[in-house]
Amino acid sequence: MRITDILVIRSLKGVGNRTLVKLIEFYHANNLKTIRELDFAKVPKLSSSITQTVEDLFASGKYDVLSLDYEKSISKWNEAGIHVLVYGSAEYPSQLNSLSDPPPLLFCKGNCDLIKYPKSIAVVGTRNNTRLGEIIAYKTVEHFSKQGFCIVSGLALGIDAIAHRAALDNHGHTVAVLVDLISIAPTNHRGLAEQILSQGGLLVSENPPGTKVIPAFFAKRDRIQAGLTRAVFAIETAIDGGTMHAVKAANSMHRKVYVPNASAAGYPDLGIEQISGTQQLVNSGIATPYTRDTYAEISLELTQLAASFEERSRGTGSSL
């Protein structure tokens, strides 16, 4: 299915990721050549209201107008170095297929090879980190970058920015998962985003460039951080912190979750808010505590997982 077709249907009221993924899968399963060949009424579990909305779109001629507008947008994105990946294509990262609602489109700027890099970990955490949390995040990234891991995070204040900078300082790969590739948020991290690009990193978003940035999108993008990686390292987080969105996504996909061993790390007060969430994750059995003494063991395990995933990916190829 063409990118413009997906963008047009995506713009319709009531159409979300799951609907678009179903349409893309149906389109390719039936070897269709154009969107007009797609009988929306035959798509499994597609609501009648959406079917009617799409039929009205074609009947009114609005489809052609919107399609032309999006073709112009795609041309501008390409000129800006932004590439669009479609769910199920050979370029699309198959590791995101484990999500309950994989993004139908990914907008990428920079080193697009990193989007499918199997040896990746997410290093995330609170915006309101402690000084000890900063040290732990930096040391964690330093080790794994030197072991050839790509560091994925969200360019947010606090732990995310520390993770990206640590990767860059150690000449490692890093990927920033954003809400929008044009309106970089927070604005004071635009320089960091440019540095990521200049050092061979990648910026990625599931939203078309120019999308209005709203709080809900930050929580939504966290699942992509988890989906692109073999494990999530939650350095510091409150019980109700945004980091928990990435942890929840990792847990749903049976990905490993690691948190610093608070006692071994030397936190003077184990009751502070910044580690209340990580403590809970350990107590509930969701996360495994780690120290610098377990770096090598974790590195080996995740390297083996990455190799196994890469071998399976080569065997299956494109999912469509």
Side-chain angles (χ1 to χ4, degrees):
M1 186 183 292
R2 296 190 313 155
I3 295 170
T4 50
D5 295 331
I6 298 170
L7 288 167
V8 169
I9 296 173
R10 181 186 182 278
S11 70
L12 300 177
K13 184 179 180 180
V15 175
N17 286 350
R18 291 183 177 87
T19 295
L20 285 170
V21 166
K22 282 192 291 186
L23 290 175
I24 294 169
E25 290 176 340
F26 185 86
Y27 182 96
H28 289 283
N30 289 276
N31 297 312
L32 304 181
K33 301 302 181 184
T34 71
I35 190 69
R36 295 185 186 278
E37 295 179 9
L38 202 161
D39 187 345
F40 288 82
K42 293 183 179 179
V43 179
K45 299 181 180 179
L46 190 66
S47 70
S48 58
S49 61
I50 291 178
T51 299
Q52 187 61 52
T53 298
V54 176
E55 290 176 353
D56 292 343
L57 181 74
F58 286 118
S60 66
K62 290 182 179 178
Y63 165 79
D64 295 317
V65 175
L66 288 172
S67 182
L68 182 59
D69 286 342
Y70 278 120
E71 285 178 7
K72 293 177 180 177
S73 294
I74 292 170
S75 179
K76 290 180 181 178
W77 298 338
N78 287 337
E79 290 174 3
I82 297 172
H83 304 281
V84 190
L85 309 183
V86 180
Y87 169 81
S89 67
E91 297 79 16
Y92 188 91
S94 60
Q95 57 265 47
L96 290 183
N97 294 350
S98 299
L99 290 169
S100 61
D101 60 337
L105 298 173
L106 286 173
F107 300 85
C108 304
K109 185 173 185 179
N111 182 1
C112 290
D113 290 341
L114 295 179
I115 198 70
K116 297 181 72 174
Y117 196 76
K119 197 173 174 180
S120 297
I121 60 170
V123 179
V124 293
T126 179
R127 291 167 171 80
N128 183 33
N129 62 279
T130 67
R131 172 57 181 159
L132 184 54
E134 177 181 356
I135 294 170
I136 294 170
Y138 194 96
K139 291 295 185 182
T140 299
V141 171
E142 181 179 45
H143 169 81
F144 284 95
S145 289
K146 290 179 177 178
Q147 294 300 313
F149 285 85
C150 177
I151 307 302
V152 178
S153 200
L155 204 76
L157 299 171
I159 297 298
D160 287 21
I162 294 164
H164 289 304
R165 290 192 175 103
L168 296 172
D169 288 349
N170 289 280
H171 310 288
H173 295 306
T174 187
V175 173
V177 183
L178 310 175
V179 171
D180 180 50
L181 297 184
I182 294 179
S183 300
I184 302 295
T187 56
N188 59 340
H189 280 174
R190 289 176 180 171
L192 178 57
E194 288 300 323
Q195 187 181 356
I196 289 172
L197 293 176
S198 68
Q199 291 190 218
L202 175 68
L203 308 181
V204 60
S205 175
E206 67 178 315
N207 304 304
T211 294
K212 182 180 179 181
V213 177
I214 60 174
F217 287 161
F218 287 101
K220 193 176 178 210
R221 64 91 191 264
D222 289 346
R223 79 194 195 288
I224 298 177
Q225 296 177 34
L228 289 174
T229 59
R230 303 270 66 80
V232 170
F233 288 72
I235 305 301
E236 289 184 339
T237 180
I239 291 174
D240 59 351
T243 301
M244 290 299 190
H245 296 294
V247 170
K248 181 179 179 181
N251 193 42
S252 70
M253 293 182 286
H254 306 289
R255 306 277 167 85
K256 299 283 290 187
V257 178
Y258 295 96
V259 300
N261 183 314
S263 297
Y267 280 93
D269 181 0
L270 297 182
I272 60 172
E273 183 181 28
Q274 287 93 332
I275 60 171
S276 59
T278 57
Q279 297 279 72
Q280 184 188 68
L281 291 172
V282 172
N283 293 336
S284 62
I286 293 174
T288 300
Y290 75 95
T291 69
R292 61 186 178 186
D293 292 333
T294 58
Y295 280 163
E297 177 186 341
I298 296 170
S299 294
L300 177 60
E301 180 181 5
L302 296 182
T303 297
Q304 291 173 340
L305 285 173
S308 176
F309 174 80
E310 194 170 22
E311 186 177 344
R312 293 196 305 273
S313 297
R314 283 197 297 267
T316 58
S318 174
S319 60
L320 295 180

